[in-house]
Amino acid sequence: MELLLDTGNVAKIRNAMEYYPVSGVTTNPTILRKEGDVPFWDLIGEIKELIGPQRSLHVQTISSDADGIIREAGIIAERLGMDTYIKIPVDREGLKAIKELASEGFRITATAIYTELQGVLAAMAGASYLAVYYNRMENTSIDADDVIKNLRTCTNECGAKILGASYRNVSQVLSSFHSGAHAVTVNPDIIDKALYSPLVSGAVENFRDDWYSVHGEDSSLLDTL
Ligand code: G3P
């Protein structure tokens, strides 16, 4: 299981890496737009440096034709390294580009997946990750869990990983894992909010009060040494 961050916000990435088991960062033009008019390569370069070589970086192409996508992939790999995952939306042109790039050794994250057919074809074309748009599917009455479950058969055979994406809440994230997603990419705000539970903080407070009542106010385990 993997947790990736679906954000281009450097401060959020830095903070989330400190607290959560983060294995990568995914971006797309919409996500990067939220950071304002920042030069693209500067921002992506900063994110790459911040996450280091152990975490994966997924960068999306813009062109709508296969030749353009392939040229952009070449530039991304040249500037950021061949270990960068090239995010390519799965339509006909995208599939052509995925097939070509995968055969040349590029790492591909197939994205904008709403249907099982898109996922199956992208996996067969050589994509490493299949970014399945959970919330957007739900918005259009497509059963996202069903798509994820069905894709498992093909990912087991092709070696691709299902990367759940487009989330509004942690229930959607957890459902994705239950259905067989190998990874999820989430805006850290969703996790932060879900962890603020009065039940948990109440339990933590009770444990602390019980300790203080025996060992003294504001004492810690170290004060017993
Ligand atoms: O990673 C895909 C994602 O960014 C799309 O999510 O929130 O625009 O539906 P959203």
Side-chain angles (χ1 to χ4, degrees), residues 23-153:
S23 67
V25 169
T26 53
T27 64
N28 63 34
T30 310
I31 285 173
L32 295 178
R33 186 181 169 201
K34 292 181 188 147
E35 303 315 308
D37 191 11
V38 187
F40 171 75
W41 294 109
D42 290 358
L43 179 55
I44 288 291
E46 196 178 352
I47 294 171
K48 183 180 166 61
E49 194 172 319
L50 178 63
I51 67 177
Q54 320 85 325
R55 297 184 183 87
S56 62
L57 177 63
H58 304 243
V59 179
Q60 193 157 322
T61 55
I62 312 297
S63 293
S64 47
D65 63 294
D67 286 347
I69 295 170
I70 290 167
R71 278 197 299 273
E72 289 181 1
I75 298 293
I76 293 171
E78 191 185 302
R79 295 211 169 181
L80 302 168
M82 276 300 276
D83 58 346
T84 309
Y85 286 82
I86 314 291
K87 275 182 86 185
I88 302 176
V90 183
D91 54 13
R92 259 169 65 84
E93 292 296 315
L95 279 167
K96 184 179 174 192
I98 291 171
K99 202 156 67 76
E100 176 69 35
L101 290 166
S103 74
E104 289 174 21
F106 285 79
R107 294 184 182 179
I108 311 293
T109 296
T111 193
I113 294 177
Y114 292 74
T115 66
E116 188 182 341
L117 179 67
Q118 284 176 287
V120 168
L121 290 172
M124 290 193 298
S128 304
Y129 285 95
L130 309 176
V132 171
Y133 278 10
Y134 196 102
N135 186 64
R136 294 196 196 192
M137 282 188 193
E138 286 207 324
N139 286 348
T140 50
S141 254
I142 300 171
D143 188 334
D145 288 300
D146 222 38
V147 172
I148 293 173
K149 281 179 201 150
N150 294 340
L151 276 176
R152 263 315 275 253
T153 320

Side-chain angles (χ1 to χ4, degrees), residues 176-217:
S176 301
F177 279 132
H178 298 160
S179 300
H182 302 85
V184 292
T185 186
V186 184
N187 185 310
D189 292 347
I190 290 177
I191 306 174
D192 292 345
K193 267 189 219 141
L195 282 176
Y196 277 111
S197 156
L199 293 174
V200 178
S201 50
V204 172
E205 220 169 282
N206 285 342
F207 289 136
R208 220 175 20 229
D209 287 347
D210 286 338
W211 174 272
Y212 290 166
S213 70
V214 176
H215 300 280
E217 197 68 15

